[in-house]
Amino acid sequence: MKNSITVKRATAPRTTAFSALAPPAAILVALVITWQVAVMAAGVQPAILPSPQRILQQGWEARTTIWDNTLPTLQETFLGFAVSLTVAWTLAILIDFSPWLRRALVPLLVASQAIPIIAIAPLIVIWFGFGMLPKTIVIALVTFFPVTVGLIDGFNRTDREAINLLRSMGANRWKQFVYVRLPSALPSFFTALRIGIAYAVTGAIFAEYVGAERGLGIYMAMMKNSFRTDLVLAAVAVTALVSVCLFLLTYVAERAIIPWHSKERRSWHG
Amino acid sequence: MKNSITVKRATAPRTTAFSALAPPAAILVALVITWQVAVMAAGVQPAILPSPQRILQQGWEARTTIWDNTLPTLQETFLGFAVSLTVAWTLAILIDFSPWLRRALVPLLVASQAIPIIAIAPLIVIWFGFGMLPKTIVIALVTFFPVTVGLIDGFNRTDREAINLLRSMGANRWKQFVYVRLPSALPSFFTALRIGIAYAVTGAIFAEYVGAERGLGIYMAMMKNSFRTDLVLAAVAVTALVSVCLFLLTYVAERAIIPWHSKERRSWHG
Amino acid sequence: SATGTASSTALTPVAFALDWTPNTNHTGLYVALEKGYFTQAGLEVKVLPYSQSSTDALINAGSADFGISFQDTATFAAAAGVRNISVMSVLQHDATAIGVLASRDDIRSPKDLDGKTLGLADPSATFPTEASDVIKNDGGTGEFRKITLGTSAYEALYAGKVDFTSAFTTWEGIDAALRGTPMKFFALHDYGLPDQYSVIVEANRAWTAKHPAATAQFVQALQKGYQYAADRPDAAAKILIDANPGAFENTELVYQSQKKLSASYLKDANGKVGTQTAETWQQLADFLYRAGLLADEDGKPLTTALDTSTLFTEHYLNEK
Amino acid sequence: MAEATPPKIELRGIGKSFPLGRGQVRSVLDDIAFSAQPGEFVAVIGPSGCGKSTMFNIMAGLETANSGEVLVDGDVVTGQHKHFAYMPQKDLLFPWRSILENTSLGLEVAGETKKTARARAGSFFAAFGLSGFEDAHPYELSGGMRQRAALLRTVVQGRDVLLLDEPFGALDSLTRTDMQSWLQGVWSQNAWTAVLITHDIREAIYLADRVVVLSARPASVRLNLTIDLLRPRELSMTTSAEFAGYERTLLATLHKETLPPRGP
Amino acid sequence: MAEATPPKIELRGIGKSFPLGRGQVRSVLDDIAFSAQPGEFVAVIGPSGCGKSTMFNIMAGLETANSGEVLVDGDVVTGQHKHFAYMPQKDLLFPWRSILENTSLGLEVAGETKKTARARAGSFFAAFGLSGFEDAHPYELSGGMRQRAALLRTVVQGRDVLLLDEPFGALDSLTRTDMQSWLQGVWSQNAWTAVLITHDIREAIYLADRVVVLSARPASVRLNLTIDLLRPRELSMTTSAEFAGYERTLLATLHKETLPPRGP
Ligand SMILES: Nc1ncnc2c1ncn2[C@@H]1O[C@H](COP(=O)(O)OP(=O)(O)OP(=O)(O)O)[C@@H](O)[C@H]1O
Ligand SMILES: Nc1ncnc2c1ncn2[C@@H]1O[C@H](COP(=O)(O)OP(=O)(O)OP(=O)(O)O)[C@@H](O)[C@H]1O
Ligand SMILES: Cc1ncc(C[n+]2csc(CCO)c2C)c(N)n1
Ligand SMILES: [Mg+2]
Ligand SMILES: [Mg+2]
């Protein structure tokens, strides 16, 4: 029974992948061509707005440097996001277990998002230096909120009757959490993870802008001051690519960790 | 009947407002006191970390300057967010009406969020100068996405059977939109609006950091460079306050524009 | 203050970009603003505060018409295809230097900076190479760690998180002393580098071509402002302080700094402000060229020396 | 075979299958045919998922059939929507509209001015036991009242045939019984031709002049049973021997149907 | 008043009201009392929202009563949970667990090792018609099978009394009828004492030895009707005169109940 489902779906992805990618690709190509033609026709200085072709060509020539700067950014992203996830899980679990903490912390968490990180980022550097710590802090600050909210929301999404069922079986609060609330929250968690990871990369770039030795952020800042707008945009493209890849990776992780979720969803179609 | 409901609820807010505010206020006060004591005990330089008392006092002395810089930021926020809302509604409606546009645009919109705005913000200033335009663009870039996604999602949340009902009455696509899809999407819209408006203020600060004549962002940048960390943090507090006020204002707007939503929700309790 | 009486003729708008938050390098500008020199000249000057975008780029893109820049970055920019023109100098000599905390006994001369950490105040393309050259000329290898910190560089230096930085002896140097954490400096021209106008006023070349009269009016009004600052440091410092409420925590910094600038940096040998010479421009460009620092817009190192004769002009200065 | 007076509505050989992609299709309706005379009340029952709603969608012009035709008064009207007024299982009253605005929706959509639409809908409120609730909002109404409002919204459109898709499926059994008697009452005072989908055999017998039983998917008509009970029907009749007889017949027919096949 | 053999379970004077804030309370249960003998099947019916689920929650120890007590075998067990195994209306099978893991959940929670828990649950699979589906996941099962798995999860806990809260409410009428006969089958082969909440009068008569009718909120026992039909009961008996008689009695009692009052 399971096999038949797997086999049935096996051929699907290829055709759908094409039909899913064709429309956005078409628009993207149209945009790039317009841009190229406009730059060529108007004779804009490359320092002000380089043509896509120039970005590609110069970016390719600088590929080793760009790659050398991508690695530290990736490293920061992973470390920062790992810390962010730890914080988010801790907060969400605390909030889930204590109604008082929920009432106390949730408004503060929301308010914390109203603080302009760009203004305190330089202070963070002064306080914590320019090693991994300040970057980790900035990335965590930027990303912990959506993940925490997603988790809290996920825990709350647990069916009240499922909790009652567990209670009728004699499960204490902790067992209720492990057997029902935790697995119920995982789909929400993965949705939140996706939002978080996209912010994590731009957060790392941001942290580097404020103070770093290497990394895509500092590379962009340096190229900007060397009037190499083409290389700035090449690095922007690389950053976007990295974000999109990490974003897609979360789908892989989701399938691996909560296979029942996507399977169940798919079975509703049939 | 309606009156009785209103009267019944009229006394509720006061008690709930207190019990809702007390826990976060308690934590906040505890944090601020710890901070004050720590700074006093360790004798930290104010340029590195000023005490809350100093922030309050110096901020109060600089109140006229801070207020003069708050106004332009507010103005940018409103203009930028208005443009953002216009873009979001336009995109969401287009996407709602055309399945092709949906497939073409949604991946691009998601990918657009992977672009590190901090890297292209200086370019935006170079392209569009120092006026309102670049700030509007940055704010719109930062905020249009959650609002658009919220709207698309809201339109999709429309009951399929409600659409069928309208079709059975002979409604064309446009009438279906006006009579069902649009009102169905409003609750989602307000949720998205809340997220958007919080980002709008920090977006404005961000845009100013990149280049502005006046505003809280440029004020913070200047004070930072003059080692006036106390005034930086005072301005941060003002920014957060403004964000929170605008955030709360969306609830007022929601109640005014879709009164049925909150009433209906409340009636489920009884 | 005499803010010029609004005449019936429309004023020409001018956007002026700053390189940093207000400091004594800008005194002449604020004097000219406060004294109404610009309005009298039929100009409406809008000051664009310091931002993430370098003034060279802003002026090149036309986002600003004039702005404060530096001879080294301007030379570097010109090689990379930027078309700005320097219309006056502000400081006749190099007021920037390699700065370290005075308390650092382990750093006695530039060669001790090998393997240390540089905190860059802005991701300047030129300073690290200049510093490296200084170290080599002092017998070191010229290798060090480079951290881009932006405006936090000086706090990082005071806090001991970086070992050296580039600083204005006439601003950060005085500030450090007043704070009780004094700095010591290694001047670049003491270690084989040519002297330079560390602060200049740049213009958008197309704008000057389109508004030759307004350009002259502007430059001369600004020159008049700086002349005032050179002649009356205390009065000028007060004008700067009043024009920027809240910006100076310790106004003593402004007075001391302005005194030093007025005494040794603003005036040329003839007591005139704003003048520039072809020698000073070409010497620095030749040095940068030899150091392999100048690259064209594709990032390829220049293969012939840069001709600096078109990068500056004294044409708009007051004749007097 | 033309009759003197054609039936109010007639379905002829309606077939429908859904493409499932990769060449597979799901066959849902197979040669469905039945008719209703003017003023007749026809109930349709059939296993879950057999295609009852699909059949209604085809009648209401929301879905196109692969074969067959729909006739009203002897004219082919396949694909037109204007002859059928449709009432879904959920009441689907819009929370952002008052009850009066909800009930006049169909007329507004059809192009009437708001004023006339509301006046027309308002004139039905007394008969539907909704007087005084014109300006109330749906959340203020009980389940039964909401269902009556939904029916009002359906009949006010003045179409030839009412299509009722499990209108009482979401109500609890007591409210449901009340609503059934009430529906019988209003139906008998009007000359509506009605087709009712239901899962509830007794509801079908209690309300209908004729019960059409569909087979499991792909659905075809398995039985067409005329219910010869006097009107008005009383609640007590549901425990009569005659009623029990109809019930047995329908139960037997339905249980002969295998459970709906799983798979595509 | 102590009897020789006490009933398996007994409820005495259970009262419950919920505080609504600002001093108001909603009174839900008012002096509920009934009992069930060992192996007896008791059905509880009552108007929607009258407090049936609240009564179950009190029995299962999930909610505390304001007054009254719950007895098992003559001992007061109010507030304890270990005597009652509870089956909610929704099947609540967890999608992240296989059917075997779902059915052994209660034993695992009670502290059994996974191995023993699964072995015990697995031994019931044949009787419940679930053989071969041990490793399947809930989405692969039909509605009826899911409901059987949910019942298996309930009975495997080996508690004294089964509390079934509208177990078939979500099924369509055909599957529902099938499940009722099946439940009667497994029940007759085991010695379970069961209390079943239902909205469906005929389900109550068909399955129960005794039907308890509750009034509208605040609920109290309005009727305690013994059903003297032979077992095993056949589907055809539902159209018998005896059956119809019980039905009439229950219908009449229920319809005397006013609709549940609105408000607090
Ligand atoms: N657009 C579609 N594409 C594929 N299959 C469909 C589509 N619409 C309906 N079906 C399938 O057609 C069958 C009949 O659906 P329909 O809703 O008409 O059944 P029904 O008899 O109304 O069921 P119920 O009793 O549950 O209301 C179902 O198996 C359903 O999954
Ligand atoms: N925690 C609570 N606070 C206030 N009122 C409650 C609470 N729980 C239940 N009620 C109310 O008590 C009444 C009885 O609820 P209960 O769920 O027991 O009814 P029920 O008979 O099971 O209804 P149904 O037939 O719909 O399942 C309802 O009016 C409900 O709104
Ligand atoms: C007051 C003042 N302090 C520091 C800088 C930053 N800065 C820009 S260029 C340069 C010289 C070395 O490249 C320095 C130190 C400034 N502009 N103004
Ligand atoms: Mg249906
Ligand atoms: Mg209940």
Side-chain angles (χ1 to χ4, degrees):
Chain A
M1 188 171 221
K2 269 184 196 162
N3 272 340
S4 80
I5 289 175
T6 325
V7 171
K8 234 182 11 190
R9 303 282 163 190
T11 54
R14 210 161 310 155
T15 35
T16 47
F18 176 77
S19 63
L21 284 181
I27 290 208
L28 207 62
V29 167
L31 278 179
V32 166
I33 289 177
T34 318
W35 174 0
Q36 177 78 37
V37 169
V39 166
M40 276 162 59
V44 190
Q45 263 187 61
I48 295 183
L49 182 63
S51 71
Q53 182 221 329
R54 187 188 167 96
I55 295 173
L56 212 72
Q57 179 200 318
Q58 297 289 325
W60 179 250
E61 269 178 33
R63 63 187 176 279
T64 19
T65 325
I66 294 182
W67 178 242
D68 286 347
N69 284 289
T70 306
L71 284 181
T73 303
L74 267 180
Q75 200 183 329
E76 293 155 15
T77 305
F78 286 128
L79 182 65
F81 200 49
V83 170
S84 172
L85 288 182
T86 315
V87 171
W89 275 97
T90 312
L91 280 175
I93 292 178
L94 282 177
I95 285 174
D96 192 52
F97 272 87
S98 157
W100 191 87
L101 277 182
R102 173 189 304 269
R103 263 177 303 142
L105 287 183
V106 170
L108 291 184
L109 293 183
V110 172
S112 79
Q113 295 308 295
I115 292 176
I117 298 197
I118 192 155
I120 56 159
L123 299 177
I124 291 180
V125 170
I126 294 171
W127 296 333
F128 305 105
F130 35 76
M132 279 310 247
L133 186 59
K135 280 157 207 103
T136 307
I137 293 176
V138 169
I139 296 172
L141 274 180
V142 173
T143 58
F144 89 96
F145 184 71
V147 182
T148 311
V149 168
L151 275 173
I152 295 177
D153 196 59
F155 290 140
N156 278 341
R157 215 163 264 195
T158 313
D159 202 314
R160 250 197 74 75
E161 302 209 41
I163 294 291
N164 269 348
L165 176 68
L166 265 281
R167 286 179 60 211
S168 82
M169 291 171 172
N172 58 19
R173 191 73 181 71
W174 176 247
K175 279 191 177 168
Q176 290 164 31
F177 181 78
V178 171
Y179 283 110
V180 191
R181 296 181 81 82
L182 182 63
S184 297
L186 289 179
S188 291
F189 167 66
F190 277 99
T191 308
L193 191 73
R194 263 186 272 292
I195 301 172
I197 196 96
Y199 285 144
V201 182
T202 47
I205 301 287
F206 184 84
E208 286 171 359
Y209 244 80
V210 173
E213 201 182 347
R214 265 148 32 94
L216 281 174
I218 225 66
Y219 178 76
M220 290 188 234
M222 263 164 21
M223 290 305 111
K224 185 198 79 183
N225 274 31
S226 307
F227 308 97
R228 294 305 304 277
T229 310
D230 45 0
L231 292 181
V232 173
L233 291 178
V236 165
V238 170
T239 313
L241 211 71
V242 168
S243 293
V244 168
C245 287
L246 292 180
F247 183 84
L248 294 179
L249 219 68
T250 62
Y251 283 100
V252 177
E254 184 175 13
R255 245 174 232 211
I257 295 172
I258 51 170
W260 44 270
H261 184 60
S262 44
K263 273 194 204 140
E264 192 186 39
R265 228 171 9 190
R266 251 179 293 150
S267 80
W268 291 343
H269 293 284
Chain B
M1 185 170 225
K2 270 184 197 161
N3 272 340
S4 79
I5 289 175
T6 325
V7 170
K8 236 183 5 190
R9 304 282 164 190
T11 54
R14 212 161 309 154
T15 36
T16 47
F18 176 78
S19 62
L21 283 181
I27 290 207
L28 207 62
V29 166
L31 278 180
V32 167
I33 290 178
T34 318
W35 175 0
Q36 176 80 35
V37 169
V39 167
M40 275 161 59
V44 189
Q45 261 186 58
I48 293 189
L49 183 63
S51 71
Q53 183 220 328
R54 186 190 167 96
I55 294 174
L56 213 72
Q57 178 200 317
Q58 296 291 320
W60 178 249
E61 268 179 34
R63 63 186 177 279
T64 21
T65 324
I66 293 183
W67 177 242
D68 286 348
N69 283 291
T70 307
L71 284 181
T73 302
L74 267 180
Q75 201 183 326
E76 292 155 15
T77 305
F78 286 130
L79 183 65
F81 200 49
V83 170
S84 170
L85 288 182
T86 315
V87 170
W89 275 97
T90 312
L91 280 175
I93 292 179
L94 282 177
I95 284 174
D96 192 52
F97 272 86
S98 156
W100 191 87
L101 277 182
R102 173 188 306 267
R103 264 176 301 143
L105 288 184
V106 170
L108 291 183
L109 295 184
V110 171
S112 80
Q113 296 307 295
I115 291 175
I117 297 197
I118 192 153
I120 56 158
L123 297 177
I124 290 180
V125 172
I126 287 178
W127 296 332
F128 304 106
F130 269 80
M132 282 306 252
L133 186 59
K135 277 147 211 118
T136 307
I137 291 175
V138 169
I139 297 172
L141 273 180
V142 173
T143 59
F144 89 96
F145 184 71
V147 182
T148 310
V149 168
L151 275 172
I152 294 176
D153 196 58
F155 290 140
N156 277 342
R157 215 164 264 196
T158 312
D159 202 314
R160 249 198 73 76
E161 302 208 40
I163 293 292
N164 268 350
L165 176 68
L166 264 281
R167 285 178 61 208
S168 83
M169 291 170 172
N172 58 20
R173 193 71 182 72
W174 176 246
K175 280 191 177 169
Q176 290 165 31
F177 181 78
V178 171
Y179 283 111
V180 191
R181 296 181 82 82
L182 182 62
S184 298
L186 288 179
S188 292
F189 168 67
F190 276 98
T191 308
L193 190 74
R194 262 187 274 292
I195 301 172
I197 196 96
Y199 286 143
V201 182
T202 45
I205 301 288
F206 183 84
E208 287 172 359
Y209 247 81
V210 171
E213 271 177 78
R214 266 149 31 94
L216 282 173
I218 212 74
Y219 178 77
M220 290 189 236
M222 293 215 300
M223 290 306 113
K224 213 230 117 227
N225 272 33
S226 315
F227 301 102
R228 293 304 303 274
T229 310
D230 46 1
L231 292 181
V232 174
L233 291 179
V236 166
V238 170
T239 312
L241 211 71
V242 168
S243 292
V244 168
C245 287
L246 292 180
F247 182 83
L248 294 178
L249 218 69
T250 61
Y251 283 100
V252 177
E254 183 176 14
R255 246 175 232 211
I257 296 173
I258 51 169
W260 44 268
H261 185 58
S262 43
K263 275 196 204 140
E264 192 185 38
R265 229 174 5 192
R266 251 177 295 151
S267 78
W268 292 343
H269 294 283
Chain C
S1 65
T3 357
T5 43
S7 58
S8 52
T9 48
L11 302 174
T12 309
V14 172
F16 190 94
L18 294 186
D19 63 313
W20 198 256
T21 49
N23 61 69
T24 45
N25 291 339
H26 311 143
T27 315
L29 174 73
Y30 285 98
V31 170
L33 278 170
E34 293 302 309
K35 294 273 176 200
Y37 300 163
F38 292 130
T39 347
Q40 282 156 24
L43 304 167
E44 187 183 8
V45 175
K46 192 167 81 171
V47 177
L48 304 178
Y50 168 66
S51 73
Q52 304 262 338
S53 313
S54 78
T55 47
D56 295 318
L58 288 173
I59 295 166
N60 181 51
S63 296
D65 307 316
F66 294 89
I68 302 276
S69 186
F70 317 97
Q71 192 189 332
D72 52 4
T73 61
T75 308
F76 177 88
V82 168
R83 297 164 202 174
N84 302 336
I85 182 164
S86 168
V87 290
M88 72 179 273
S89 70
V90 172
L91 302 189
Q92 288 292 328
H93 307 287
D94 191 1
T96 62
I98 295 172
V100 297
L101 282 185
S103 55
R104 292 290 293 265
D105 294 331
D106 59 324
I107 304 174
R108 292 167 190 285
S109 82
K111 65 173 179 297
D112 298 330
L113 296 172
D114 272 345
K116 296 277 189 300
T117 302
L118 162 64
L120 269 178
D122 63 329
S124 159
T126 48
F127 181 77
T129 314
E130 290 168 341
S132 182
D133 225 74
V134 164
I135 296 173
K136 281 186 211 154
N137 289 342
D138 192 39
T141 61
E143 306 278 338
F144 50 80
R145 225 155 72 96
K146 191 174 72 180
I147 307 268
T148 306
L149 282 171
T151 58
S152 307
Y154 303 110
E155 281 139 295
L157 183 82
Y158 299 151
K161 298 207 158 122
V162 296
D163 303 305
F164 67 112
T165 181
S166 78
F168 276 85
T169 58
T170 51
W171 186 255
E172 281 85 20
I174 296 171
D175 184 48
L178 289 174
R179 264 168 213 286
T181 48
M183 278 197 234
K184 59 186 173 193
F185 292 98
F186 308 122
L188 305 184
H189 51 85
D190 287 346
Y191 294 89
L193 267 70
D195 194 11
Q196 56 176 308
Y197 305 118
S198 44
V199 180
I200 59 172
V201 176
E202 261 186 358
N204 179 288
R205 200 179 284 270
W207 197 89
T208 59
K210 201 169 153 218
H211 309 278
T215 305
Q217 296 275 25
F218 176 81
V219 173
Q220 286 168 23
L222 190 58
Q223 191 188 3
K224 198 170 154 195
Y226 275 107
Q227 188 75 54
Y228 180 98
D231 296 338
R232 302 182 56 190
D234 282 344
K238 184 159 185 336
I239 289 173
L240 177 65
I241 292 166
D242 293 341
N244 294 283
F248 310 110
E249 194 187 8
N250 186 351
T251 50
E252 188 55 26
L253 163 64
V254 184
Y255 288 108
Q256 284 190 20
S257 168
Q258 191 59 51
K259 201 159 285 156
K260 195 167 170 185
L261 286 179
S262 300
S264 331
Y265 288 91
L266 287 170
K267 288 185 270 197
D268 68 6
N270 306 318
K272 211 176 149 186
V273 306
T275 54
Q276 307 178 69
T277 68
E279 249 164 284
T280 310
W281 273 92
Q282 196 60 47
Q283 274 174 12
L284 183 72
D286 288 346
F287 164 77
L288 294 175
Y289 171 67
R290 281 195 308 274
L293 194 68
L294 299 186
D296 66 12
E297 59 181 14
D298 293 339
K300 304 261 183 321
L302 293 195
T303 50
T304 52
L306 185 72
D307 174 17
T308 59
S309 61
T310 56
L311 300 190
F312 75 98
T313 176
E314 292 199 277
H315 178 72
Y316 301 107
L317 289 177
N318 195 329
E319 284 312 314
K320 181 174 65 104
Chain D
M1 248 214 243
E3 298 170 48
T5 49
K8 186 73 200 169
I9 54 150
E10 186 174 357
L11 269 62
R12 285 193 191 152
I14 298 282
K16 172 76 185 172
S17 52
F18 291 106
L20 292 180
R22 280 159 286 131
Q24 292 186 283
V25 293
R26 171 180 292 147
S27 181
V28 174
L29 300 179
D30 175 25
D31 194 24
I32 297 275
F34 71 87
S35 62
Q37 297 305 317
E40 198 179 15
F41 197 121
V42 176
V44 176
I45 58 179
S48 176
C50 75
K52 302 180 291 295
S53 298
T54 305
M55 182 185 85
F56 264 23
N57 286 343
I58 290 170
M59 291 166 78
L62 304 179
E63 198 97 65
T64 41
N66 296 97
S67 62
E69 43 204 23
V70 179
L71 292 88
V72 169
D73 295 326
D75 304 326
V76 176
V77 299
T78 324
Q80 297 179 12
H81 69 260
K82 65 172 185 282
H83 298 283
F84 300 92
Y86 165 76
M87 176 177 174
Q89 169 166 359
K90 288 188 261 178
D91 58 58
L92 290 180
L93 296 175
F94 298 145
W96 52 88
R97 298 192 138 226
S98 71
I99 299 301
L100 184 59
E101 288 166 348
N102 262 293
T103 51
S104 59
L105 181 67
L107 295 170
E108 258 186 59
V109 167
E112 302 273 6
T113 65
K114 284 191 184 183
K115 228 184 112 183
T116 25
R118 283 169 201 188
R120 180 110 57 92
S123 68
F124 283 80
F125 268 60
F128 279 68
L130 291 169
S131 302
F133 285 87
E134 284 83 354
D135 296 328
H137 276 256
Y139 69 90
E140 300 176 66
L141 268 59
S142 70
M145 287 168 87
R146 292 169 66 111
Q147 224 51 36
R148 288 204 292 273
L151 185 66
L152 199 165
R153 180 186 57 197
T154 313
V155 303
V156 79
Q157 297 178 62
R159 307 246 170 128
D160 296 307
V161 184
L162 303 183
L163 302 180
L164 313 174
D165 193 348
E166 297 192 53
F168 309 135
L171 300 177
D172 70 276
S173 64
L174 286 173
T175 317
R176 193 175 176 143
T177 320
D178 292 343
M179 286 297 295
Q180 287 164 357
S181 344
W182 172 83
L183 177 59
Q184 200 203 172
V186 289
W187 175 77
S188 64
Q189 283 156 35
N190 295 272
W192 303 327
T193 307
V195 183
L196 168 90
I197 289 179
T198 179
H199 263 130
D200 183 339
I201 296 174
R202 322 183 89 218
E203 180 170 289
I205 305 171
Y206 177 68
L207 287 172
D209 298 313
R210 201 140 44 79
V211 177
V212 174
V213 181
L214 298 185
S215 69
R217 210 178 64 212
S220 57
V221 175
R222 203 36 69 96
L223 181 70
N224 204 324
L225 181 70
T226 305
I227 307 293
D228 260 331
L229 293 172
L230 281 177
R231 292 206 185 251
R233 295 173 186 165
E234 303 288 327
L235 216 52
S236 59
M237 287 166 71
T238 62
T239 49
S240 71
E242 229 180 330
F243 197 100
Y246 288 127
E247 214 180 329
R248 251 191 306 269
T249 315
L250 290 173
L251 257 170
T253 316
L254 273 168
H255 274 271
K256 248 184 291 170
E257 294 307 322
T258 45
L259 285 175
R262 300 191 67 75
Chain E
M1 248 215 245
E3 296 169 50
T5 51
K8 186 72 200 171
I9 56 150
E10 185 174 357
L11 268 63
R12 285 192 191 152
I14 298 280
K16 173 74 187 173
S17 52
F18 291 106
L20 291 179
R22 280 157 287 130
Q24 292 186 283
V25 294
R26 171 180 293 148
S27 179
V28 174
L29 300 179
D30 175 25
D31 193 26
I32 297 277
F34 70 89
S35 63
Q37 299 303 320
E40 198 180 15
F41 197 121
V42 176
V44 176
I45 58 177
S48 174
C50 75
K52 302 179 294 294
S53 298
T54 305
M55 183 186 83
F56 264 22
N57 287 342
I58 290 170
M59 291 166 77
L62 303 179
E63 198 98 64
T64 43
N66 296 98
S67 62
E69 42 205 23
V70 179
L71 294 87
V72 169
D73 293 328
D75 304 326
V76 175
V77 299
T78 322
Q80 298 178 10
H81 69 258
K82 63 171 184 281
H83 299 282
F84 301 93
Y86 166 76
M87 176 176 173
Q89 170 167 357
K90 289 188 259 177
D91 59 59
L92 290 179
L93 296 175
F94 298 146
W96 53 88
R97 298 190 139 229
S98 69
I99 299 301
L100 184 59
E101 288 166 346
N102 262 293
T103 51
S104 61
L105 180 68
L107 296 170
E108 258 185 59
V109 168
E112 303 271 11
T113 63
K114 283 191 185 183
K115 226 183 116 183
T116 27
R118 283 169 202 188
R120 180 110 57 92
S123 68
F124 283 78
F125 268 60
F128 279 68
L130 290 169
S131 302
F133 285 88
E134 284 83 353
D135 295 329
H137 276 257
Y139 69 89
E140 298 176 68
L141 267 58
S142 70
M145 286 168 89
R146 294 169 65 113
Q147 223 52 35
R148 287 203 294 273
L151 186 66
L152 199 165
R153 179 185 59 197
T154 313
V155 303
V156 79
Q157 297 176 62
R159 307 242 169 133
D160 296 307
V161 185
L162 303 183
L163 302 179
L164 313 175
D165 192 349
E166 298 192 53
F168 309 135
L171 299 178
D172 72 275
S173 63
L174 286 173
T175 317
R176 192 172 178 145
T177 320
D178 292 343
M179 287 298 294
Q180 288 163 357
S181 343
W182 174 82
L183 177 61
Q184 202 203 174
V186 289
W187 176 77
S188 63
Q189 282 157 37
N190 296 272
W192 303 327
T193 308
V195 184
L196 167 90
I197 289 181
T198 178
H199 264 130
D200 184 337
I201 296 173
R202 323 184 88 216
E203 180 170 289
I205 306 171
Y206 178 68
L207 288 172
D209 297 313
R210 201 141 44 78
V211 177
V212 173
V213 181
L214 298 183
S215 69
R217 210 179 64 211
S220 58
V221 175
R222 205 35 69 96
L223 181 71
N224 203 325
L225 181 70
T226 305
I227 308 292
D228 261 332
L229 292 173
L230 282 177
R231 290 200 186 258
R233 294 174 186 165
E234 302 289 327
L235 216 54
S236 59
M237 287 166 70
T238 63
T239 49
S240 72
E242 232 179 330
F243 197 102
Y246 288 126
E247 213 179 332
R248 250 191 306 267
T249 314
L250 290 173
L251 256 169
T253 316
L254 273 167
H255 274 271
K256 251 186 288 172
E257 294 306 322
T258 47
L259 285 176
R262 300 193 66 73

